[in-house]
Amino acid sequence: PNALEYTIVAAAIVDQGDEALVFTRSTWHLLDVDNHEFFDSGTLAADFGAAFNWTDLKAAQGVVQGNPVDVFVFIGTDSYIFNWNTLSNTASFQSGPYDLPNHWTNSCCGGSIPDPSLFKAAYCDLENPHNWTNPQVTCPSSTRYGFFLLTTGQTHFQDYGCGDTFYDDMPYGSYTPFTSSSAPTMADIVAAFFDTTYNRLYVITH
């Protein structure tokens, strides 16, 4: 009963790498990452709120630092933050909307601020264990960064410790995880999330 019937458009890690929220434009589904099974689900309107334009959902990110988990959802050019309770598997609204074209103002070091209307996938990495990027360019004491993939094929990186500054961007095929010959094509990607327990990047494709 928890299987998906619609196209996936976003995903977010929510429980130390063990569980991920997977979104369609009308439903949410909870994925057991280790067993690759969906075990809970519901509708976005009923469980996250009917006031949001879920048909324009672009991407999501989960920031796991205890319970509840912060889940960022990107709808149109706005972002919203929800609290996800990992014990009850329920969502509650925290804050937003944040008008991203006006909210995001910091860039440096060759990075540029992306157009949120072009978001295709996103994830948050709190520890940067693989050193795929270097958020310490702008934030010497932080390893936290956000990754954004655009429909144009460009990737953007934002520090999550010192002003949310966009410090780097590059073509999809130049980012280390996607340089492998076995990496999916950019056009096939619909969502991504980072497993914070085993330090694995999951990419969901068509």
Side-chain angles (χ1 to χ4, degrees):
N2 300 307
L4 288 89
E5 297 181 3
Y6 305 99
T7 302
I8 294 171
V9 295
I13 198 72
V14 291
D15 190 12
Q16 291 293 339
D18 297 323
E19 299 171 5
L21 272 173
V22 176
F23 298 91
T24 73
R25 297 198 192 280
S26 60
T27 60
W28 62 267
H29 305 259
L30 201 55
L31 174 68
D32 182 323
V33 176
D34 291 333
N35 294 317
H36 305 145
E37 293 179 349
F38 290 105
F39 65 94
D40 202 354
S41 61
T43 67
L44 293 175
D47 300 324
F48 282 77
F52 307 97
N53 183 19
W54 296 111
T55 59
D56 205 15
L57 177 61
K58 305 290 187 182
Q61 290 177 330
V63 182
V64 182
Q65 300 181 99
N67 186 39
V69 174
D70 287 340
V71 176
F72 293 73
V73 297
F74 302 93
I75 300 174
T77 59
D78 295 331
S79 69
Y80 303 82
I81 306 174
F82 291 84
N83 292 137
W84 179 261
N85 189 309
T86 60
L87 299 179
S88 60
N89 295 338
T90 55
S92 58
F93 178 74
Q94 182 186 132
S95 60
Y98 299 97
D99 177 16
L100 296 183
N102 293 308
H103 185 71
W104 283 343
T105 58
N106 298 328
S107 64
C108 79
C109 317
S112 60
I113 299 172
D115 179 350
S117 70
L118 300 178
F119 283 170
K120 185 176 178 66
Y123 73 82
C124 174
D125 179 359
L126 297 179
E127 300 295 338
N128 194 23
H130 303 296
N131 293 311
W132 288 334
T133 183
N134 184 20
Q136 294 179 335
V137 166
T138 57
C139 197
S141 62
S142 178
T143 57
R144 303 177 179 186
Y145 70 93
F147 163 90
F148 298 90
L149 172 64
L150 274 59
T151 56
T152 59
Q154 197 74 356
T155 61
H156 292 254
F157 302 86
Q158 182 182 31
D159 80 56
Y160 280 175
C162 299
D164 294 339
T165 300
F166 284 93
Y167 61 88
D168 196 8
D169 56 73
M170 66 187 71
Y172 167 80
S174 298
Y175 183 40
T176 300
F178 305 126
T179 56
S180 167
S181 60
S182 59
T185 64
M186 187 280 295
D188 286 338
I189 293 176
V190 295
F193 62 89
F194 193 83
D195 173 341
T196 56
T197 297
Y198 300 106
N199 298 322
R200 297 178 295 197
L201 172 60
Y202 284 81
V203 175
I204 300 173
T205 62
H206 289 294

